[in-house]
């Protein structure tokens, strides 16, 4: 069995995406902490693994792989026999489309602005910038509503089987659901609300959130 080392901060949404896949596939791995809050991700040592200083990075038997989409695709093929990706071409394209929407349009307003301003800044003694949060609301709503229009969400985003798209959206909802804005962001997305009620009960979700 390959030796897997996952570098990252356990609270990171992208690290959680990879961990959800690893846990769901029952694969053994070591999580090596790289702290993005104290700048460890910008150290020369970490930049030699990932020149962008982003987490996660996966090491497979000494070989380094970064970018969550590449990591999840590799793990899904090698350790899960494609289980977390639909075989029907349009559904597979929908999975990639949802992932791209999360990367390009949801992560920034939802995590970098709303979650950071509402949860992280106050936890460090700072004051939420309400104007920033207000500006992020419409783009976050637009992205969540786009995902709603593509999703089956019964019980998983693409239907009866859990996929990499779920592993991307779950970590975002773990945090968004703790913000005051969650109600407004999901008011037009009833399917995603019931999806969230189901998936947040999964053992793998409880494990990566701990
Ligand atoms: N495109 C990267 C994005 C990863 C990413 O943005 N990770 C965040 C944590 S969730 C990070 O490394 N933040 C630290 C920073 O930007 O300095 C991927 O898909 O892996």
């Amino acid at each position: 069995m390959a030796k897997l080392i996952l570098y990252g901060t356990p609270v990171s949404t992208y690290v959680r995406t990879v961990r959800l896949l690893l846990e769901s596939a029952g694969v053994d791995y070591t999580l090596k902490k790289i702290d993005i809050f104290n700048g460890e991700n910008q150290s020369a040592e970490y930049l030699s693994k990932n020149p962008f200083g982003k987490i996660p990075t996966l090491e497979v038997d000494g070989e380094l792989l970064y970018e969550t989409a590449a990591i999840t695709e590799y793990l899904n093929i090698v350790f899960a026999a494609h289980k977390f990706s639909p075989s029907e071409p349009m559904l597979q394209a929908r999975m990639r489309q949802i992932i791209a929407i999360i990367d390009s349009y949801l992560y920034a307003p939802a995590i970098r602005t709303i979650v950071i301003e509402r949860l992280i800044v106050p936890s460090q003694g700072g004051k939420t910038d309400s104007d920033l949060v207000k500006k992020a609301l419409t783009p976050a709503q637009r992205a969540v509503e786009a995902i709603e229009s593509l999703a089956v969400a019964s019980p998983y985003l693409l239907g009866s089987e859990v996929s990499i798209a779920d592993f991307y959206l779950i970590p975002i909802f773990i945090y968004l659901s703790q913000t005051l804005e969650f109600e407004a962001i999901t008011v037009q997305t009833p399917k995603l609300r019931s999806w969230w009620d189901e998936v947040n009960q999964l053992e793998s979700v409880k494990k990566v959130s701990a």
Side-chain angles (χ1 to χ4, degrees), residues 7-166:
Y7 295 91
T9 310
V11 295
S12 144
T13 60
Y14 284 106
V15 170
R16 287 179 171 182
T17 294
V18 175
R19 291 188 67 206
L20 281 170
L21 192 156
L22 288 164
E23 296 292 341
S24 306
V27 178
D28 268 349
Y29 63 99
T30 303
L31 182 63
K32 275 210 179 152
K33 228 172 164 183
I34 297 295
D35 193 341
I36 56 173
F37 298 108
N38 70 7
E40 196 181 357
N41 55 316
Q42 294 299 334
S43 67
E45 193 189 342
Y46 187 68
L47 289 173
S48 73
K49 300 187 196 318
N50 181 329
F52 301 101
K54 298 284 181 187
I55 53 165
T57 296
L58 181 72
E59 190 176 321
V60 187
D61 286 336
E63 189 160 350
L64 294 162
L65 184 61
Y66 59 81
E67 285 302 309
T68 304
I71 295 171
T72 49
E73 192 160 333
Y74 170 82
L75 292 172
N76 185 39
I77 294 169
V78 175
F79 297 99
H82 300 266
K83 186 170 150 193
F84 302 120
S85 170
S87 51
E88 200 276 308
M90 184 51 86
L91 269 186
Q92 196 177 113
R94 293 288 179 219
M95 180 186 85
R96 296 217 164 93
Q97 189 180 9
I98 290 170
I99 291 170
I101 291 169
I102 293 168
D103 277 340
S104 305
Y105 310 115
L106 182 59
Y107 179 81
I111 300 297
R112 293 182 81 153
T113 303
I114 297 172
V115 167
I116 298 281
E117 286 298 326
R118 281 285 184 223
L119 306 181
I120 309 293
V121 169
S123 77
Q124 294 175 344
K127 192 173 172 304
T128 298
D129 184 332
S130 310
D131 284 346
L132 273 184
V133 172
K134 220 166 143 190
K135 277 191 204 132
L137 202 54
T138 303
Q141 270 167 334
R142 188 183 302 132
V144 168
E145 286 168 20
I147 295 170
E148 169 90 0
S149 74
L150 301 171
V152 177
S154 176
Y156 301 112
L157 287 180
L158 298 169
S160 56
E161 305 294 333
V162 68
S163 78
I164 299 170
D166 296 275

